Amino acid sequence: MIVVVGPSGAGKDSLMELAATCLARRSDIVFVRRMVTRAGDAGGEAHQPISHDEFEATAAAGGFAVSWRAHGHGYGIPAPTIEAIRAGRCLVANGSRTALADFAAIYPTLAVIQVTADRECLIARLTARGRETAAEIRARVDRPKPSLPVGLTVYTVDNSGDLSEAGRRFAELVEAIADRHARG
Protein backbone atom coordinates (compact mmCIF):
# COMPACT_ATOMS: atom_id res chain seq x y z
CA MET A 1 0.00 0.00 0.00
CA ILE A 2 1.27 3.42 -0.98
CA VAL A 3 -0.48 6.21 0.90
CA VAL A 4 -0.24 9.71 -0.54
CA VAL A 5 -0.36 12.49 2.04
CA GLY A 6 0.27 16.22 2.16
CA PRO A 7 -1.47 19.50 2.79
CA SER A 8 -4.57 20.64 0.94
CA GLY A 9 -3.51 22.27 -2.30
CA ALA A 10 -0.26 20.32 -2.66
CA GLY A 11 -1.66 18.56 -5.72
CA LYS A 12 -2.04 14.99 -4.46
CA ASP A 13 -5.09 14.29 -6.61
CA SER A 14 -3.52 15.82 -9.72
CA LEU A 15 -0.35 13.76 -9.30
CA MET A 16 -2.34 10.59 -8.68
CA GLU A 17 -4.44 11.22 -11.79
CA LEU A 18 -1.33 11.75 -13.93
CA ALA A 19 0.34 8.65 -12.50
CA ALA A 20 -2.78 6.53 -13.04
CA THR A 21 -2.72 7.52 -16.72
CA CYS A 22 1.03 6.88 -17.06
CA LEU A 23 0.82 3.52 -15.29
CA ALA A 24 -2.44 2.27 -16.84
CA ARG A 25 -0.52 -0.57 -18.53
CA ARG A 26 0.43 -1.94 -15.09
CA SER A 27 -2.39 -4.22 -13.90
CA ASP A 28 -0.49 -4.76 -10.63
CA ILE A 29 -0.76 -1.07 -9.68
CA VAL A 30 -4.25 0.02 -8.66
CA PHE A 31 -5.33 3.54 -7.70
CA VAL A 32 -7.93 3.28 -4.94
CA ARG A 33 -11.04 5.43 -5.02
CA ARG A 34 -11.73 6.36 -1.42
CA MET A 35 -15.22 6.95 -0.06
CA VAL A 36 -15.89 10.51 1.10
CA THR A 37 -18.92 12.18 2.67
CA ARG A 38 -18.89 14.83 -0.03
CA ALA A 39 -20.97 15.23 -3.18
CA GLY A 40 -19.56 13.51 -6.25
CA ASP A 41 -19.55 16.77 -8.20
CA ALA A 42 -17.76 18.76 -5.47
CA GLY A 43 -14.58 18.96 -7.51
CA GLY A 44 -11.13 17.77 -6.59
CA GLU A 45 -10.45 14.07 -6.32
CA ALA A 46 -12.42 11.37 -8.05
CA HIS A 47 -14.06 9.72 -5.07
CA GLN A 48 -17.04 7.57 -4.25
CA PRO A 49 -19.60 9.83 -2.56
CA ILE A 50 -21.31 8.48 0.53
CA SER A 51 -23.74 10.12 2.95
CA HIS A 52 -22.77 10.65 6.58
CA ASP A 53 -25.30 7.99 7.66
CA GLU A 54 -23.99 5.50 5.08
CA PHE A 55 -20.45 6.25 6.18
CA GLU A 56 -21.26 5.50 9.82
CA ALA A 57 -23.09 2.29 8.88
CA THR A 58 -20.22 1.14 6.64
CA ALA A 59 -17.66 1.86 9.36
CA ALA A 60 -19.74 -0.02 11.96
CA ALA A 61 -20.07 -3.01 9.61
CA GLY A 62 -16.29 -3.20 9.00
CA GLY A 63 -16.56 -1.96 5.44
CA PHE A 64 -13.46 0.21 5.69
CA ALA A 65 -9.89 -0.98 6.09
CA VAL A 66 -9.05 2.50 7.39
CA SER A 67 -11.29 5.49 8.02
CA TRP A 68 -10.88 8.94 9.51
CA ARG A 69 -12.63 12.28 9.80
CA ALA A 70 -11.25 15.65 8.81
CA HIS A 71 -12.59 19.05 7.77
CA GLY A 72 -16.20 17.99 8.49
CA HIS A 73 -16.04 14.91 6.24
CA GLY A 74 -15.56 11.19 6.68
CA TYR A 75 -12.98 9.40 4.55
CA GLY A 76 -12.70 5.63 4.10
CA ILE A 77 -10.51 3.15 2.27
CA PRO A 78 -12.71 0.16 1.30
CA ALA A 79 -12.00 -3.10 3.16
CA PRO A 80 -11.49 -5.17 -0.05
CA THR A 81 -8.15 -3.37 -0.47
CA ILE A 82 -6.74 -5.74 2.17
CA GLU A 83 -7.38 -8.74 -0.09
CA ALA A 84 -6.01 -6.89 -3.12
CA ILE A 85 -2.72 -6.38 -1.26
CA ARG A 86 -2.64 -10.06 -0.28
CA ALA A 87 -3.20 -10.93 -3.95
CA GLY A 88 0.03 -9.10 -4.85
CA ARG A 89 -1.32 -5.79 -6.10
CA CYS A 90 0.30 -2.47 -5.26
CA LEU A 91 -2.40 -0.01 -4.22
CA VAL A 92 -2.12 3.77 -4.21
CA ALA A 93 -4.54 5.71 -2.02
CA ASN A 94 -5.01 9.31 -0.99
CA GLY A 95 -4.70 9.25 2.79
CA SER A 96 -4.18 11.49 5.77
CA ARG A 97 -1.10 12.15 7.85
CA THR A 98 -3.26 11.76 10.95
CA ALA A 99 -4.33 8.23 9.90
CA LEU A 100 -0.89 6.85 9.01
CA ALA A 101 -0.60 4.76 12.19
CA ASP A 102 -3.92 3.11 11.28
CA PHE A 103 -2.69 2.48 7.72
CA ALA A 104 0.54 0.94 9.07
CA ALA A 105 -1.44 -1.36 11.37
CA ILE A 106 -3.56 -2.68 8.47
CA TYR A 107 -1.00 -2.69 5.64
CA PRO A 108 2.35 -4.03 6.88
CA THR A 109 4.16 -3.14 3.63
CA LEU A 110 3.15 0.52 3.77
CA ALA A 111 5.07 3.20 1.91
CA VAL A 112 4.20 6.88 2.19
CA ILE A 113 4.57 9.51 -0.51
CA GLN A 114 4.42 12.96 1.03
CA VAL A 115 3.51 15.62 -1.52
CA THR A 116 4.69 19.11 -0.68
CA ALA A 117 4.41 22.56 -2.22
CA ASP A 118 5.64 25.94 -1.06
CA ARG A 119 3.34 28.23 0.94
CA GLU A 120 2.59 30.65 -1.92
CA CYS A 121 1.69 27.77 -4.21
CA LEU A 122 -0.67 26.26 -1.60
CA ILE A 123 -2.39 29.61 -1.05
CA ALA A 124 -2.83 30.17 -4.80
CA ARG A 125 -4.29 26.70 -5.36
CA LEU A 126 -6.66 26.88 -2.39
CA THR A 127 -7.79 30.36 -3.46
CA ALA A 128 -8.51 29.07 -6.98
CA ARG A 129 -10.77 26.35 -5.53
CA GLY A 130 -13.01 29.06 -4.08
CA ARG A 131 -14.21 26.93 -1.15
CA GLU A 132 -12.73 29.01 1.68
CA THR A 133 -12.16 32.63 2.62
CA ALA A 134 -8.68 34.13 2.51
CA ALA A 135 -8.48 33.98 6.32
CA GLU A 136 -9.51 30.29 6.34
CA ILE A 137 -6.90 29.52 3.70
CA ARG A 138 -4.13 31.27 5.64
CA ALA A 139 -5.17 29.43 8.82
CA ARG A 140 -5.15 26.09 6.95
CA VAL A 141 -1.71 26.70 5.39
CA ASP A 142 -0.18 27.98 8.63
CA ARG A 143 -1.49 25.32 11.01
CA PRO A 144 1.13 22.98 12.49
CA LYS A 145 1.87 19.91 10.39
CA PRO A 146 1.18 16.59 12.09
CA SER A 147 4.30 14.53 12.66
CA LEU A 148 4.63 11.25 10.83
CA PRO A 149 4.84 8.02 12.84
CA VAL A 150 8.37 6.77 13.37
CA GLY A 151 9.54 3.82 11.30
CA LEU A 152 7.57 4.47 8.12
CA THR A 153 9.18 4.48 4.69
CA VAL A 154 8.52 8.04 3.49
CA TYR A 155 9.31 9.56 0.10
CA THR A 156 8.76 13.22 -0.78
CA VAL A 157 7.67 14.79 -4.05
CA ASP A 158 7.73 18.59 -4.29
CA ASN A 159 4.89 19.82 -6.49
CA SER A 160 5.62 23.55 -6.29
CA GLY A 161 6.57 23.87 -9.95
CA ASP A 162 5.63 22.25 -13.24
CA LEU A 163 2.83 19.71 -12.70
CA SER A 164 3.91 17.46 -15.59
CA GLU A 165 7.45 17.20 -14.18
CA ALA A 166 6.20 16.43 -10.67
CA GLY A 167 3.73 13.96 -12.18
CA ARG A 168 6.54 12.18 -14.01
CA ARG A 169 8.63 11.94 -10.81
CA PHE A 170 5.57 10.75 -8.85
CA ALA A 171 4.72 8.03 -11.41
CA GLU A 172 8.35 6.85 -11.52
CA LEU A 173 8.38 6.66 -7.73
CA VAL A 174 5.14 4.66 -7.59
CA GLU A 175 6.50 2.27 -10.22
CA ALA A 176 9.81 1.84 -8.37
CA ILE A 177 8.04 1.11 -5.08
CA ALA A 178 5.75 -1.43 -6.79
CA ASP A 179 8.72 -3.11 -8.47
CA ARG A 180 10.69 -3.32 -5.20
CA HIS A 181 7.68 -4.86 -3.48
CA ALA A 182 7.16 -7.38 -6.31
CA ARG A 183 10.79 -8.52 -5.99
CA GLY A 184 10.17 -9.07 -2.27
Side-chain angles (χ1 to χ4, degrees), residues 156-179:
T156 301
V157 173
D158 184 342
N159 188 25
S160 299
D162 181 63
L163 178 62
S164 62
E165 175 60 24
R168 182 192 59 73
R169 288 192 319 270
F170 184 89
E172 287 174 354
L173 181 55
V174 167
E175 192 164 38
I177 294 168
D179 290 345

Side-chain angles (χ1 to χ4, degrees), residues 3-6 8 12-13 16 31-38 44-50 55 64 66-68 70-71 73-78 81 92-97 99 103 129 131:
V3 178
V4 181
V5 300
S8 294
K12 300 177 297 290
D13 300 315
M16 289 176 65
F31 287 79
V32 176
R33 182 174 282 203
R34 66 184 178 175
M35 300 173 84
V36 182
T37 58
R38 182 171 45 220
E45 76 176 291
H47 64 281
Q48 182 175 338
I50 186 171
F55 183 89
F64 296 126
V66 178
S67 65
W68 64 97
H71 314 297
H73 296 289
Y75 299 82
I77 304 298
T81 57
V92 183
N94 190 337
S96 170
R97 292 170 287 194
F103 275 97
R129 285 184 186 172
R131 295 184 204 156

Side-chain angles (χ1 to χ4, degrees), residues 29 44 53 61 86 152 175:
I29 300 174
D53 290 342
R86 288 184 187 139
L152 295 180
E175 192 164 38

Side-chain angles (χ1 to χ4, degrees), residues 108-128:
T109 56
L110 180 69
V112 178
I113 298 177
Q114 182 172 240
V115 178
T116 63
D118 62 46
R119 184 177 189 279
E120 293 74 27
C121 186
L122 294 174
I123 290 171
R125 289 176 183 163
L126 293 172
T127 300

